[in-house]
Amino acid sequence: MDHARVVLLTVAAAAMALVGITFAQEGDEAAIRALTQQYVEAYNARDADALVQLFAEDIVFVAPDGTRMDGRDTMLAMFSEYFAGVSPHLSILDIETVAHGDVAYSLQAYEGIDDDGETVVAGFGLAIWQRIDGEWLWYRNVSNVILPEPVLDGGE
């Protein structure tokens, strides 16, 4: 095989590999957005068991109030208790999802709406996903609250 043909085949193989990487990342990002939708559906169905199956065993979840929860079992107990009371309907808007290899992040806006259609809580979250044994799982999360506005002066 002549030198020009080897160079051409090498460039073609490299281009195909790059296109394959792009497709894999796009597929991963779509899969993560679909998992976020599954999370919303399980949350709104008040199905704590289905919800926590989306989490890694060693999930670290920092709730909007600053409470840190470690592990799937802790999350199951928290959501089971939370769903036994009043909890708002949840919606999540994916602002950006980026996957790189076996790690990804999602920047999200969320909103909790009560039975009267009023927004009772809203904020942003950063979810970190990890591919574990070929499956994307929610690995870390940090959320904040922007509505209702935090009271900084002790009341009033």
Side-chain angles (χ1 to χ4, degrees):
M1 199 179 282
D2 65 359
H3 180 70
R5 189 175 233 167
V6 170
V7 169
L8 180 61
L9 289 174
T10 302
V11 168
M16 287 172 53
L18 286 173
V19 168
I21 289 169
T22 301
F23 288 152
Q25 288 178 346
E26 288 174 6
D28 288 341
E29 291 161 4
I32 290 166
R33 285 190 295 275
L35 289 169
T36 300
Q37 184 58 38
Q38 287 178 24
Y39 176 89
V40 169
E41 291 168 5
Y43 182 99
N44 289 333
R46 310 302 190 250
D47 187 345
D49 291 318
L51 191 70
V52 299
Q53 293 308 307
L54 301 170
F55 296 136
E57 287 289 337
D58 59 346
I59 179 82
V60 175
F61 196 98
V62 180
D65 68 357
T67 302
R68 178 182 165 151
M69 292 164 277
D70 292 81
R72 193 184 273 175
D73 292 339
T74 301
M75 297 298 297
L76 178 61
M78 185 279 297
F79 278 114
S80 295
E81 182 180 328
Y82 183 67
F83 291 154
V86 176
S87 56
H89 178 82
L90 177 69
S91 66
I92 294 178
L93 171 67
D94 180 65
I95 297 170
E96 176 181 55
T97 295
V98 176
H100 183 74
D102 289 338
V103 177
Y105 73 84
S106 296
L107 177 60
Q108 306 164 333
Y110 73 91
E111 184 176 37
I113 302 167
D114 68 14
D115 291 337
D116 296 326
E118 297 293 322
T119 299
V120 293
V121 64
F124 293 94
L126 179 63
I128 299 174
W129 302 82
Q130 186 172 28
R131 189 184 344 243
I132 300 171
D133 297 329
E135 179 181 10
W136 284 107
L137 294 170
W138 204 322
Y139 179 65
R140 300 289 186 259
N141 187 83
V142 176
S143 299
N144 72 0
V145 174
I146 59 170
L147 179 74
E149 293 182 31
V151 177
L152 302 177
D153 63 0
E156 321 271 342

